Amino acid sequence: MNQPEALVSTDISSCRDDFPALHQEVNGHPLAFLDSAASAQQPNTVIDAVARYQRHDHANVHRGVHTLSHRATELYEGARDKLCNFVNATSRAEMVLTSGTTEAINLVAQSFCRPTLKPGDQVLITWLEHHSNIVPWQLVCEQTGADLIVAPIDDNGDIVLSELLGLMTTRVKMLGIGHVSNALGTVNPLHEIIAAAKSIGIPVLVDGAQGVPHMQVDVQELGCDFYAFSGHKMFGPTGAGVLWGREALLESMPPYKGGGDMILEVSFENTVFNELPYKFEAGTPNISGIIGLGAAVDYLQSVGMQNIAEHEKNLHSYMVDKLKSVSGLRLIGTARKQASVQSFMLNDIHPHDLGTILDHQGVAVRTGHHCAMPVMQRFGLPGTARASLGLYNNTDDIDQLIDALEKARQVFA
Ligand code: PMP
């Protein structure tokens, strides 16, 4: 078939071979996996790194004097180094390993905000956020008497910048904002937003769950204070993720959870906490998951974030053009800048019914509210169907989606 020039870069097109789960039939059709925004597939290198660790090196980290424990610790801490390099952290102290974005945001809400927020203070978010970047702030506002305020979005799914900037006052003690919307694909103009917030001293947390798999992220260059992300969106294992935070802020925060590994000394009278980042890593971590995440970083860097971003940009516009040609299809989310995600409705077919028909034809899309109910409310919808791209997708996947949509249209005609 004819593919646009930029999509046949040998590097990227051969990446598909690295992902065993993509090479199967579903319901008698080749799998067209268009649900990477929910959880991306894993390359052989990640699967192998986890299996190798489980087979040969498994032991608890930081604790043992024996060889396996040393090996496990080296692999685990080696992954931390890779993650530092991946987002350009200035030191390992800034790289807190978590179970994912959700835990990272809860950590900041409870350890950074809860001790200092008081009635009259505000936490600022936007209508675009995933529930993980709403509910933790709601909880801490309830606990402290602070108010949650929300900047609106327009009919395209762009944040109304003037309104967001207008809400930034000295009463705001935290801005929580997504890098890329998981429901609409909107890429937020973070540089401008963060600069405005910082100019009046508002700390900024970026929910980067949908940012890191698709573009080069440099936390120093962004200028935010916290950046959270999840391994399973970036071709790593589930249950492993990151909170990057500025060292001075992390230093000032109390521990989030108590337990083993986060202490230097414990007595019944007093506990001395461990140094950063271990102060925030109580209990046995997801060792194999973090090792797999390190391998995912290696993989992404070997393909090249610039290549990935370019490939996905081309593929996204190919997908949008094709979707527009389907009669009765309405795009939900047409922001100025989008990455890798497209939500849509087909006539008045319920998204779940549509998703089921697509699955019968081997096409995996996500349907529902995408853990972003306020976005759905903003568009007056119970949910949408959402196709999302990863570096391994190609125009064949999109063509298969379009054919399946045409069939669905006939079924429901
Ligand atoms: N934020 C965004 C934008 C997301 O897409 C997701 C996952 N759908 C999350 C947060 C939560 O990630 P996790 O479940 O891995 O903690």
Side-chain angles (χ1 to χ4, degrees):
M1 66 163 306
N2 277 340
Q3 293 200 350
E5 278 280 309
L7 297 182
V8 291
S9 129
T10 44
D11 284 346
I12 289 267
S13 56
S14 62
C15 285
R16 198 177 175 89
D17 296 339
D18 300 331
F19 292 82
L22 296 177
H23 301 281
Q24 61 177 302
E25 290 205 340
V26 168
N27 296 321
H29 298 270
L31 170 63
F33 188 77
L34 294 167
D35 193 23
S36 298
S39 227
Q41 297 300 339
Q42 297 172 23
N44 283 314
T45 50
V46 168
I47 297 165
D48 292 347
V50 171
R52 201 165 42 241
Y53 161 75
Q54 305 282 24
R55 286 218 166 86
H56 300 289
D57 308 316
H58 172 63
N60 214 323
V61 288
H62 303 145
R63 296 170 195 198
V65 293
H66 61 78
T67 301
L68 263 60
S69 178
H70 279 307
R71 272 197 231 147
T73 304
E74 251 171 49
L75 290 166
Y76 181 79
E77 292 301 329
R80 193 191 308 274
D81 289 332
K82 292 173 187 182
L83 287 157
C84 285
N85 175 270
F86 184 56
V87 295
N88 196 25
T90 48
S91 83
R92 317 178 80 246
E94 299 178 335
M95 188 53 63
V96 179
L97 302 176
T98 68
S99 65
T101 309
T102 304
E103 190 188 26
I105 299 176
N106 277 278
L107 192 166
V108 174
Q110 291 301 313
S111 290
F112 182 71
C113 293
R114 190 171 179 181
T116 53
L117 278 184
K118 42 186 197 326
D121 289 343
Q122 295 175 330
V123 174
L124 174 58
I125 59 171
T126 83
W127 272 72
L128 267 186
E129 305 312 318
H130 185 280
H131 298 161
S132 292
N133 203 22
I134 300 175
V135 184
W137 307 121
Q138 247 167 2
L139 290 172
V140 75
C141 284
E142 271 165 29
Q143 288 157 347
T144 60
D147 296 313
L148 187 67
I149 57 170
V150 189
I153 55 175
D154 64 19
D155 291 342
N156 297 319
D158 277 310
I159 293 172
V160 184
L161 219 50
S162 57
E163 301 254 3
L164 175 65
L165 299 181
L167 289 170
M168 289 185 191
T169 69
T170 52
R171 286 179 66 192
V172 175
K173 304 302 178 201
M174 171 58 76
L175 167 63
I177 186 157
H179 196 159
V180 175
S181 156
N182 71 308
L184 304 181
T186 311
V187 182
N188 289 322
L190 281 189
H191 287 98
E192 192 179 347
I193 292 169
I194 293 170
K198 301 307 289 180
S199 73
I200 51 170
I202 300 173
V204 181
L205 175 140
V206 176
D207 169 354
Q210 302 291 346
V212 287
H214 307 295
M215 61 193 77
Q216 183 72 57
V217 171
D218 180 332
V219 289
Q220 294 186 57
E221 194 248 334
L222 273 179
C224 56
D225 298 287
F226 301 101
Y227 193 99
F229 57 97
S230 298
H232 68 106
K233 314 273 191 199
M234 51 181 277
F235 316 102
T238 52
V242 161
L243 172 68
W244 170 85
R246 283 187 193 283
E247 190 168 347
L249 298 184
L250 292 174
E251 202 64 76
S252 73
M253 291 157 54
Y256 172 52
K257 297 187 291 195
D261 237 23
M262 52 74 75
I263 52 85
L264 288 177
E265 224 178 275
V266 177
S267 71
F268 291 123
E269 290 72 40
N270 190 36
T271 289
V272 181
F273 303 130
N274 206 342
E275 61 191 21
L276 289 176
Y278 308 108
K279 181 172 84 172
F280 293 109
E281 295 180 7
T284 300
N286 181 358
I287 305 168
S288 63
I290 294 292
I291 290 169
L293 179 51
V297 167
D298 287 340
Y299 185 81
L300 282 166
Q301 290 181 328
S302 75
V303 180
M305 295 311 298
Q306 193 56 40
N307 286 339
I308 293 168
E310 204 158 301
H311 170 74
E312 290 182 7
K313 183 165 173 261
N314 290 326
L315 201 54
H316 186 267
S317 44
Y318 181 84
M319 174 164 75
V320 169
D321 285 347
K322 288 275 178 171
L323 286 171
K324 279 181 183 162
S325 72
V326 177
S327 162
L329 188 137
R330 181 155 63 103
L331 297 177
I332 310 295
T334 48
R336 278 187 292 265
K337 191 168 177 201
Q338 281 176 292
S340 73
V341 165
Q342 188 60 56
S343 268
F344 54 87
M345 296 290 288
L346 183 57
N347 293 322
D348 55 0
I349 305 172
H350 192 285
H352 289 322
D353 295 335
L354 183 57
T356 306
I357 300 277
L358 297 185
D359 181 56
H360 289 160
Q361 296 166 81
V363 178
V365 297
R366 178 88 185 265
T367 58
H369 54 64
H370 315 297
C371 296
M373 282 187 176
V375 175
M376 299 301 126
Q377 286 155 13
R378 171 64 179 74
F379 284 88
L381 297 167
T384 65
R386 179 192 72 183
S388 59
L389 306 171
L391 60 90
Y392 36 60
N393 288 115
N394 58 24
T395 50
D396 290 347
D397 294 323
I398 310 295
D399 295 343
Q400 194 176 332
L401 166 69
I402 302 300
D403 288 348
L405 285 168
E406 290 294 357
K407 292 217 177 80
R409 215 160 52 79
Q410 288 155 20
V411 169
F412 287 96

